[in-house]
Amino acid sequence: MLQSSTKDTAILLLHCPDKQGILAAVTEFININKGNIIYLDQHVDFVEKEFFMRVEWEIEGFLIPQEKISEYFYTLLGKKYGMNFRLYFNANKPRMAIFVSKMSHCLFDLLSRYAANDWDVEIPLIISNHPDMEHVASKFDIPYYYFPITKETKQEQEAAEIALLKEHKIEFVVLARYMQVLTAEFIAQYPQNIINIHHSFLPAFVGAKPYHAAYERGVKIIGATSHYVTSELDAGPIIEQEVAKISHKDTVEMLIHKGQDLEKIVLSRGVEKHLERKVLVYKNKTIVFS
Amino acid sequence: MLQSSTKDTAILLLHCPDKQGILAAVTEFININKGNIIYLDQHVDFVEKEFFMRVEWEIEGFLIPQEKISEYFYTLLGKKYGMNFRLYFNANKPRMAIFVSKMSHCLFDLLSRYAANDWDVEIPLIISNHPDMEHVASKFDIPYYYFPITKETKQEQEAAEIALLKEHKIEFVVLARYMQVLTAEFIAQYPQNIINIHHSFLPAFVGAKPYHAAYERGVKIIGATSHYVTSELDAGPIIEQEVAKISHKDTVEMLIHKGQDLEKIVLSRGVEKHLERKVLVYKNKTIVFS
Amino acid sequence: MLQSSTKDTAILLLHCPDKQGILAAVTEFININKGNIIYLDQHVDFVEKEFFMRVEWEIEGFLIPQEKISEYFYTLLGKKYGMNFRLYFNANKPRMAIFVSKMSHCLFDLLSRYAANDWDVEIPLIISNHPDMEHVASKFDIPYYYFPITKETKQEQEAAEIALLKEHKIEFVVLARYMQVLTAEFIAQYPQNIINIHHSFLPAFVGAKPYHAAYERGVKIIGATSHYVTSELDAGPIIEQEVAKISHKDTVEMLIHKGQDLEKIVLSRGVEKHLERKVLVYKNKTIVFS
Amino acid sequence: MLQSSTKDTAILLLHCPDKQGILAAVTEFININKGNIIYLDQHVDFVEKEFFMRVEWEIEGFLIPQEKISEYFYTLLGKKYGMNFRLYFNANKPRMAIFVSKMSHCLFDLLSRYAANDWDVEIPLIISNHPDMEHVASKFDIPYYYFPITKETKQEQEAAEIALLKEHKIEFVVLARYMQVLTAEFIAQYPQNIINIHHSFLPAFVGAKPYHAAYERGVKIIGATSHYVTSELDAGPIIEQEVAKISHKDTVEMLIHKGQDLEKIVLSRGVEKHLERKVLVYKNKTIVFS
């Protein structure tokens, strides 16, 4: 992945109530056990009095065996400070599924990065409620599963999709302009692990046809937002946003066209930050480390 | 003014149902009467089938006397094409009033451009519902009128303000972070001639405390919008918008602080476009010529 | 293509010394012959006293036969006004060749738009000085020609490339991070028809390794520039530019990575404007209609 | 100042070769002596192997007396780690001088923030090589010193200016479109304490008349850069940069006009970062904490 060491590393993402000495304690835990820190960033939210941190270190020569790090860390520090923490190893490639409907721009953008080995990720499958994008999947030799969805079949089709995701050990899901609202049951299977692209600068123009709404309102700027999906529509924690200037000359069709460049870049950036383990969610907002 | 000729010019802003030959007819009207065109821009809205145009010409040597141009233009072209048109002469400086409450950043920005002679405008007075900004007005030797407003006095105070504006022959009003909603009666006195700055990228965060709302929502971008005031709050035609990126590190106070730079620039740009007679309103949206 | 009519259209791009009545004359020429104008934009450079125009009209029912329009226009208007003009028909798909070296991001971006039928264009071949990108070409079933180039073979290889381009009736060439300087002889074959992407905001960081230079200089903004290739390196007319903010946290590798998103979007936008016949070159600068 | 505590704080800015445990040692030094940390940010340059840090803490109840902190810190940590560090107290308002020539936009922007008490700073004087801006200084009741400069008088006038600055105990100098190159001797008096605004996105268009050069080159983006002044013209460490899109419609006059908004904002942001003690210079580049 982009910034990772060529060596094997451990990545620790954590947050806890802010207290004196946490950062010192965490870095000492790594240093004392002979871990070579190659990334460290932290943030204190002085309003919430919460401490956030991301640290990455090379695990070659680290005194604690890899499979014991989590336990030791919890025992020695996590418990004491009331930490909410996650530990990752860059050698474990995350497995990601893409959901798509009829538009190819986001799908192509994700897959072209995948094909270029820009990302340390596996994409074992693509799921769609339409058959249209199969030709894209086949270009990249990725299995494409078509699950047509009606009001009546939605529940069972989603259950089948979840079974398929579990079977393929999917860690997180990317909605690449997937034009179906997921049920709360589906979302509950992948908390903070479903990334959506919404084609407006949220919270403006929630819901369907945001470009039409933007045109009607006469805004001078359009945008796109990548966010984690929660059970409330278009209201989950925002990861990335980007905008572009428009003018009275732009028709709805031109907004849709210009917006596609925003959408694909903003979605891919959101996915990349997630893959790099640089996103922490706290109270429906994100901390995105740089 | 910025782009105007050093010579005297006439500026014509018009729109009408799109028909064959309008632009040719308008330019011929000017050319045949020996006007030297120094600016011409047009726009066709193919959805609404409406034609929009701004043209500016030097009136020295123009065959039609200045005070007759409007009549001749209406008779020869305006009537025929069903035009909605306005004619301005750059020699007539528009007279503008500023309304302000307690914050100085927009006020200073407007007045510093005024003091630098960037704009062809007269600012004969500043009106406020608070006494706080008088020291700024006095720096620039502009009379400052303090109209305290309560629910009970609002109607009569607005009436007094309008009387004052009429007395000073004010053509348009700029709300430079004026934190009072104007009544529909007030607005009706200055249709498409009251410019407000709203401290968000509308339509997101309509109403009070948009930075607090932006912070709560966890957006990654904040913005500002200058727009004409209509009777519906924060829903008038948008003139200019600008945004800035923020991050999880920004507190509400930092958003407010960063937003001030957006607000003052976006308001001044909106005022400048209005002063240059480059804004046309059509169906609650603006055409802003460049 | 994006804005074109679903019907057949003619597109006229022209410039000439600014005189009274040109725009009226051109629109009258179309109107009188029963052409329905669906796009019109014009620009007057009051410094150079030059007039620029783009007009597009539906040719169904146009009184002048398609193959005679150019002759009639020249005879009736072009000659009189000293016009430099080009006439296109949207039914004739332009044929474009892509040159690439070892990086896939721009190539994927171009081809994904092509595969999505976003553009009215034919891409009959891809040429490279390296074999690396053949796998991308084959995904999209486009013939890939590998021309290894050394100082000794450059002249003959370029001659072979030109022969191939001519054979395929290529109208214009896109350099999608092609890391070989073309000779003046090659460029002379495709004047204003070779589009390059340079990975900096020109004129900063001309030449090789601009991200390294940007890192060394400590800039806070990086950029990308699409431009027509001329015989002077990185000095041709600029079509599009875009930038992104960076910080002290960005290493050279991160700049290269972030820059790729700029490069692919800026190149594709430049290609799109060219395809839409919206770019006019005048004195090493471009007029880009919106 | 913007983010500072309402209480008295100490601010420590430091860098040193990166070693294990520095951050822990510094925070422990503060914690153990009962300092309440309200800001902490750090950066490791893994290329240069250099560690950078900014930490701010409330000094009420801090066990080391204020005037001894620097000595203790050096003895206990600075020496050991080879630190380059600076210690500030927010109670000590920095004293800043403004140099200006004939344009008012940056000057007004700085002074309007000063008048609004946005910044914790004293501005005891304004120096100019022209008399034109005295009216602005007098609006804000700041003494204005006029030093006309010719090639012959430059050396002695600069000496007089420096004497005046020393007399007023000026800590740093802001060049608000001061159109005179300072001599190396002058610069040597205020290393990393002279902030200039250059009206281009450096390193493009170094030197005089950058807007004319931008117009000639036909760029689609203009910019502004605030940077510390060094003896090499326009080559000092960059603090802030901002850009704006332009088009073929913009004349040189319009570029100059649009650029002024960039210049004033970019200069004020640079000054603000400097005032907040958030800028570290290392090898002609800046670390700018957020």
Side-chain angles (χ1 to χ4, degrees):
Chain A
M1 207 176 324
L2 175 61
Q3 290 177 270
S4 70
S5 173
T6 51
K7 301 184 184 172
D8 285 350
T9 64
I11 299 163
L12 187 62
L13 265 179
L14 66 88
H15 66 91
C16 62
D18 189 31
K19 267 184 213 149
Q20 205 174 290
I22 301 173
L23 194 142
V26 174
T27 53
E28 194 169 286
F29 169 82
I30 298 166
N31 288 329
I32 219 167
N33 290 300
K34 301 200 178 300
N36 182 33
I37 293 176
I38 61 162
Y39 178 100
L40 188 157
D41 207 357
Q42 51 80 47
H43 168 63
V44 182
D45 184 328
F46 289 105
V47 178
E48 300 283 349
K49 300 190 190 309
E50 189 81 6
F51 175 83
F52 302 86
M53 183 175 180
R54 183 190 186 277
V55 61
E56 182 172 2
W57 69 96
E58 292 169 349
I59 51 175
E60 194 185 323
F62 196 58
L63 298 183
I64 306 171
Q66 192 166 326
E67 68 281 5
K68 292 281 186 183
I69 297 175
S70 194
E71 179 199 321
Y72 276 49
F73 186 77
Y74 174 72
T75 306
L76 298 174
L77 291 175
K79 203 170 159 186
K80 175 177 172 188
Y81 288 105
M83 282 174 182
N84 188 320
F85 75 91
R86 303 200 309 264
L87 183 69
Y88 301 99
F89 299 99
N90 75 341
N92 301 343
K93 280 196 190 187
R95 295 171 66 79
M96 144 182 164
I98 302 175
F99 279 48
V100 70
S101 290
K102 291 183 165 185
M103 274 171 292
S104 66
H105 57 290
C106 288
L107 182 61
F108 263 127
D109 201 71
L110 293 165
L111 296 181
S112 63
R113 292 167 199 264
Y114 182 51
N117 285 316
D118 283 354
W119 290 343
D120 261 356
V121 70
E122 292 291 340
I123 305 181
L125 79 167
I126 294 168
I127 286 176
S128 181
N129 56 338
H130 293 285
D132 308 57
M133 289 297 107
E134 180 148 28
H135 73 102
V136 180
S138 78
K139 277 186 175 45
F140 293 84
D141 294 322
I142 300 175
Y144 184 89
Y145 296 88
Y146 165 40
F147 289 91
I149 288 182
T150 63
K151 213 183 291 179
E152 290 70 33
T153 63
K154 185 161 191 163
Q155 208 173 350
E156 61 181 296
Q157 291 292 64
E158 277 199 353
E161 288 168 353
I162 290 169
L164 192 63
L165 296 175
K166 299 292 179 192
E167 180 193 327
H168 282 88
K169 299 185 198 313
I170 294 302
E171 182 189 314
F172 75 105
V173 172
V174 176
L175 308 183
R177 296 298 311 274
Y178 181 66
M179 309 309 277
Q180 267 283 331
V181 176
L182 297 174
T183 64
E185 291 70 37
F186 188 111
I187 295 164
Q189 296 290 321
Y190 286 95
Q192 295 172 20
N193 273 311
I194 306 173
I195 299 172
N196 184 44
I197 181 71
H198 184 74
H199 37 318
S200 79
F201 50 96
L202 289 173
F205 310 124
V206 165
K209 294 200 175 282
Y211 292 120
H212 289 76
Y215 177 81
E216 281 308 311
R217 180 62 187 91
V219 294
K220 301 300 185 187
I221 281 174
I222 56 169
T225 305
S226 58
H227 65 95
Y228 289 115
V229 175
T230 59
S231 54
E232 189 181 345
L233 184 66
D234 298 333
I238 292 170
I239 310 171
E240 291 269 342
Q241 295 189 292
E242 191 58 85
V243 296
K245 298 217 168 176
I246 59 163
S247 82
H248 60 270
K249 297 189 182 182
D250 289 294
T251 61
V252 171
E253 290 69 35
M254 290 165 81
L255 298 189
I256 290 170
H257 180 76
K258 290 184 177 181
Q260 291 187 347
D261 283 355
L262 293 174
E263 294 163 25
K264 72 186 192 186
I265 297 296
V266 169
L267 178 58
S268 286
R269 270 194 219 151
V271 171
E272 183 166 301
K273 286 292 185 184
H274 182 86
L275 276 173
E276 294 179 329
R277 316 303 191 180
K278 289 192 168 168
V279 190
L280 264 169
V281 173
Y282 184 75
K283 295 198 171 177
N284 206 45
K285 293 161 68 171
T286 60
I287 284 82
V288 182
F289 290 108
S290 60
Chain B
M1 207 176 326
L2 176 61
Q3 288 178 275
S4 71
S5 172
T6 51
K7 300 185 184 171
D8 285 349
T9 64
I11 299 163
L12 187 61
L13 266 179
L14 66 89
H15 66 91
C16 61
D18 190 30
K19 267 185 215 147
Q20 204 174 291
I22 301 173
L23 194 141
V26 174
T27 53
E28 194 169 285
F29 170 82
I30 298 167
N31 288 330
I32 219 167
N33 291 301
K34 302 201 178 299
N36 182 33
I37 293 176
I38 60 163
Y39 178 100
L40 189 158
D41 207 356
Q42 52 80 46
H43 168 63
V44 181
D45 184 327
F46 288 104
V47 178
E48 300 282 350
K49 301 192 191 309
E50 189 82 6
F51 175 83
F52 302 86
M53 183 176 181
R54 182 191 187 278
V55 61
E56 182 171 1
W57 69 96
E58 292 170 350
I59 50 174
E60 194 184 323
F62 196 57
L63 298 183
I64 306 170
Q66 191 166 325
E67 68 280 6
K68 292 279 185 184
I69 297 176
S70 194
E71 179 200 321
Y72 276 49
F73 186 75
Y74 174 72
T75 305
L76 297 173
L77 291 174
K79 204 171 160 186
K80 175 178 173 188
Y81 288 105
M83 283 175 181
N84 188 321
F85 76 90
R86 301 201 308 263
L87 182 70
Y88 301 99
F89 299 98
N90 76 341
N92 301 344
K93 280 196 191 189
R95 295 170 67 81
M96 143 183 165
I98 302 176
F99 279 49
V100 69
S101 290
K102 290 182 165 184
M103 274 171 292
S104 65
H105 57 290
C106 288
L107 182 61
F108 264 128
D109 201 71
L110 293 165
L111 295 182
S112 63
R113 292 168 201 263
Y114 182 52
N117 286 316
D118 284 352
W119 291 343
D120 260 356
V121 69
E122 292 292 338
I123 306 181
L125 80 167
I126 294 169
I127 287 176
S128 181
N129 57 338
H130 292 284
D132 307 57
M133 289 297 108
E134 180 150 25
H135 73 101
V136 180
S138 77
K139 277 186 176 44
F140 293 84
D141 294 322
I142 300 175
Y144 184 88
Y145 295 88
Y146 166 40
F147 288 90
I149 288 181
T150 63
K151 213 182 294 180
E152 290 70 32
T153 64
K154 185 161 190 164
Q155 207 174 350
E156 60 181 297
Q157 290 292 63
E158 277 199 353
E161 287 168 354
I162 289 168
L164 192 63
L165 296 176
K166 298 293 178 191
E167 180 192 329
H168 282 87
K169 299 186 198 315
I170 294 302
E171 182 189 314
F172 75 105
V173 172
V174 176
L175 308 182
R177 296 299 309 275
Y178 180 66
M179 308 310 276
Q180 267 283 331
V181 176
L182 297 174
T183 64
E185 290 70 38
F186 189 110
I187 296 164
Q189 297 290 322
Y190 286 95
Q192 295 171 21
N193 273 311
I194 306 173
I195 300 173
N196 185 44
I197 181 71
H198 185 73
H199 36 318
S200 80
F201 50 97
L202 289 175
F205 310 125
V206 165
K209 294 198 176 281
Y211 293 119
H212 289 77
Y215 177 82
E216 282 307 311
R217 180 62 187 91
V219 294
K220 301 299 185 187
I221 281 175
I222 56 169
T225 305
S226 57
H227 65 95
Y228 288 114
V229 175
T230 59
S231 55
E232 189 181 344
L233 185 65
D234 298 333
I238 293 170
I239 310 171
E240 292 269 340
Q241 296 189 292
E242 191 58 86
V243 296
K245 298 216 168 177
I246 59 163
S247 83
H248 60 270
K249 296 188 181 182
D250 290 294
T251 60
V252 172
E253 289 68 35
M254 290 165 81
L255 298 190
I256 291 171
H257 181 75
K258 290 183 177 182
Q260 291 186 347
D261 283 355
L262 293 175
E263 294 162 26
K264 72 185 192 188
I265 298 296
V266 169
L267 178 59
S268 286
R269 271 195 220 151
V271 171
E272 184 167 300
K273 286 292 185 184
H274 182 87
L275 275 173
E276 294 179 329
R277 316 303 191 179
K278 290 191 169 168
V279 190
L280 264 170
V281 174
Y282 184 75
K283 295 198 170 178
N284 207 45
K285 293 161 67 170
T286 60
I287 284 82
V288 182
F289 290 107
S290 60
Chain C
M1 205 176 324
L2 177 60
Q3 287 176 273
S4 71
S5 173
T6 54
K7 301 187 184 169
D8 284 351
T9 64
I11 299 163
L12 186 61
L13 266 179
L14 66 88
H15 65 91
C16 61
D18 189 30
K19 265 185 215 148
Q20 204 175 291
I22 300 173
L23 194 142
V26 174
T27 54
E28 195 170 285
F29 170 82
I30 298 167
N31 288 330
I32 220 167
N33 291 300
K34 302 202 177 297
N36 182 34
I37 293 177
I38 61 163
Y39 179 100
L40 188 157
D41 207 357
Q42 52 81 46
H43 168 62
V44 181
D45 184 328
F46 289 104
V47 178
E48 300 282 350
K49 301 191 190 310
E50 189 82 6
F51 175 83
F52 302 87
M53 183 175 181
R54 183 190 187 277
V55 61
E56 183 171 1
W57 69 97
E58 293 170 349
I59 51 174
E60 194 185 322
F62 196 57
L63 298 183
I64 306 170
Q66 192 166 326
E67 68 280 7
K68 292 281 185 184
I69 298 176
S70 193
E71 180 199 321
Y72 277 48
F73 185 76
Y74 174 72
T75 306
L76 297 173
L77 291 175
K79 204 171 159 186
K80 174 178 173 188
Y81 288 105
M83 283 175 182
N84 188 321
F85 75 91
R86 302 201 308 262
L87 182 70
Y88 302 98
F89 299 98
N90 75 341
N92 301 343
K93 280 195 191 189
R95 296 171 66 81
M96 143 182 164
I98 302 175
F99 279 49
V100 69
S101 289
K102 291 183 165 184
M103 274 172 291
S104 65
H105 58 289
C106 288
L107 182 61
F108 264 127
D109 200 71
L110 293 165
L111 296 182
S112 63
R113 293 168 199 263
Y114 182 51
N117 286 316
D118 283 351
W119 291 343
D120 261 356
V121 70
E122 293 292 337
I123 306 181
L125 79 167
I126 295 167
I127 287 176
S128 181
N129 57 337
H130 293 285
D132 307 57
M133 289 297 106
E134 180 149 27
H135 73 101
V136 180
S138 78
K139 278 186 175 47
F140 294 83
D141 294 321
I142 299 175
Y144 185 89
Y145 296 88
Y146 166 40
F147 289 90
I149 288 182
T150 63
K151 212 181 292 180
E152 290 71 31
T153 64
K154 184 160 190 163
Q155 208 173 349
E156 60 181 297
Q157 291 291 64
E158 277 199 353
E161 288 168 354
I162 289 168
L164 192 63
L165 296 175
K166 298 293 179 190
E167 180 193 326
H168 283 87
K169 300 185 198 313
I170 294 302
E171 182 189 314
F172 75 105
V173 172
V174 176
L175 308 182
R177 297 297 312 273
Y178 181 65
M179 309 309 277
Q180 268 282 331
V181 176
L182 298 174
T183 63
E185 290 71 37
F186 189 111
I187 295 164
Q189 297 290 321
Y190 286 95
Q192 295 172 21
N193 273 311
I194 306 173
I195 299 173
N196 184 45
I197 181 70
H198 185 74
H199 37 318
S200 80
F201 50 97
L202 288 175
F205 309 125
V206 165
K209 294 197 174 283
Y211 293 120
H212 289 76
Y215 177 81
E216 282 307 312
R217 180 61 187 92
V219 293
K220 301 299 185 188
I221 281 174
I222 56 169
T225 305
S226 58
H227 64 95
Y228 289 114
V229 175
T230 59
S231 55
E232 189 182 344
L233 184 65
D234 299 333
I238 292 169
I239 309 172
E240 292 269 342
Q241 294 190 293
E242 191 58 85
V243 296
K245 297 217 169 178
I246 59 163
S247 82
H248 59 271
K249 297 188 180 182
D250 290 294
T251 60
V252 172
E253 288 69 35
M254 290 166 80
L255 298 189
I256 290 170
H257 180 75
K258 291 184 175 181
Q260 291 186 348
D261 283 355
L262 293 175
E263 293 162 25
K264 73 185 191 188
I265 298 296
V266 169
L267 178 58
S268 286
R269 270 193 220 153
V271 170
E272 184 167 298
K273 285 292 186 186
H274 182 86
L275 275 173
E276 294 179 328
R277 316 303 190 180
K278 289 192 169 168
V279 190
L280 265 169
V281 174
Y282 184 76
K283 295 199 171 176
N284 207 45
K285 293 162 67 170
T286 60
I287 283 82
V288 182
F289 290 107
S290 61
Chain D
M1 208 175 326
L2 175 62
Q3 289 176 273
S4 70
S5 173
T6 52
K7 300 183 184 174
D8 284 350
T9 64
I11 298 163
L12 187 62
L13 266 179
L14 66 88
H15 65 91
C16 61
D18 189 31
K19 267 184 214 150
Q20 205 175 288
I22 301 173
L23 194 141
V26 174
T27 53
E28 195 170 285
F29 170 82
I30 298 167
N31 289 329
I32 220 167
N33 291 300
K34 302 200 177 300
N36 182 33
I37 292 176
I38 60 162
Y39 178 101
L40 188 157
D41 206 356
Q42 52 82 47
H43 168 63
V44 181
D45 184 329
F46 289 104
V47 178
E48 300 282 350
K49 300 189 190 310
E50 189 81 6
F51 175 83
F52 303 86
M53 182 176 180
R54 182 190 187 278
V55 60
E56 182 172 2
W57 69 97
E58 292 169 349
I59 51 175
E60 193 185 325
F62 196 58
L63 299 183
I64 306 171
Q66 192 167 324
E67 69 280 5
K68 292 281 186 182
I69 297 175
S70 194
E71 179 198 321
Y72 276 48
F73 185 76
Y74 174 72
T75 306
L76 298 174
L77 290 175
K79 204 171 159 186
K80 175 178 171 188
Y81 289 105
M83 282 173 182
N84 187 321
F85 75 91
R86 303 201 308 264
L87 182 71
Y88 301 99
F89 299 99
N90 75 342
N92 301 343
K93 280 196 192 187
R95 296 171 65 82
M96 144 182 163
I98 302 175
F99 279 48
V100 69
S101 289
K102 290 183 166 183
M103 274 172 291
S104 65
H105 57 289
C106 289
L107 182 62
F108 264 126
D109 200 71
L110 294 165
L111 295 182
S112 62
R113 293 167 199 264
Y114 182 51
N117 285 317
D118 284 352
W119 291 344
D120 261 357
V121 70
E122 292 291 339
I123 306 181
L125 80 167
I126 295 168
I127 287 176
S128 181
N129 57 337
H130 292 284
D132 307 57
M133 289 297 107
E134 180 149 25
H135 73 101
V136 180
S138 77
K139 278 186 175 44
F140 294 83
D141 293 322
I142 300 175
Y144 184 88
Y145 296 87
Y146 166 40
F147 289 90
I149 288 181
T150 63
K151 211 182 294 178
E152 290 71 33
T153 65
K154 185 161 191 164
Q155 208 174 349
E156 60 181 298
Q157 291 293 63
E158 278 199 352
E161 287 168 354
I162 289 168
L164 192 62
L165 296 176
K166 298 293 178 190
E167 181 194 325
H168 283 88
K169 299 185 198 313
I170 295 301
E171 183 190 312
F172 75 105
V173 172
V174 175
L175 308 182
R177 297 298 310 275
Y178 181 65
M179 309 309 277
Q180 267 282 330
V181 177
L182 298 173
T183 64
E185 290 70 37
F186 189 111
I187 296 164
Q189 297 291 320
Y190 285 95
Q192 295 172 21
N193 272 311
I194 306 173
I195 299 173
N196 184 44
I197 180 70
H198 184 74
H199 37 317
S200 79
F201 50 96
L202 289 174
F205 309 124
V206 165
K209 295 199 174 281
Y211 292 120
H212 289 76
Y215 177 81
E216 282 307 311
R217 180 61 187 90
V219 294
K220 301 298 185 187
I221 281 174
I222 56 169
T225 305
S226 57
H227 65 95
Y228 289 115
V229 175
T230 58
S231 55
E232 189 182 344
L233 184 65
D234 299 332
I238 292 169
I239 310 172
E240 292 269 341
Q241 294 189 292
E242 191 58 85
V243 295
K245 296 218 168 175
I246 58 162
S247 83
H248 59 270
K249 297 189 180 182
D250 290 295
T251 60
V252 171
E253 289 69 35
M254 290 165 80
L255 298 189
I256 290 170
H257 180 75
K258 290 184 176 181
Q260 291 186 347
D261 283 355
L262 293 174
E263 294 162 25
K264 73 185 191 187
I265 298 296
V266 168
L267 178 59
S268 286
R269 272 194 218 150
V271 170
E272 183 167 300
K273 286 292 185 184
H274 182 87
L275 276 172
E276 294 179 328
R277 316 302 192 181
K278 288 191 168 169
V279 190
L280 265 169
V281 173
Y282 184 74
K283 293 198 172 177
N284 206 45
K285 293 162 66 170
T286 61
I287 284 82
V288 182
F289 291 107
S290 61

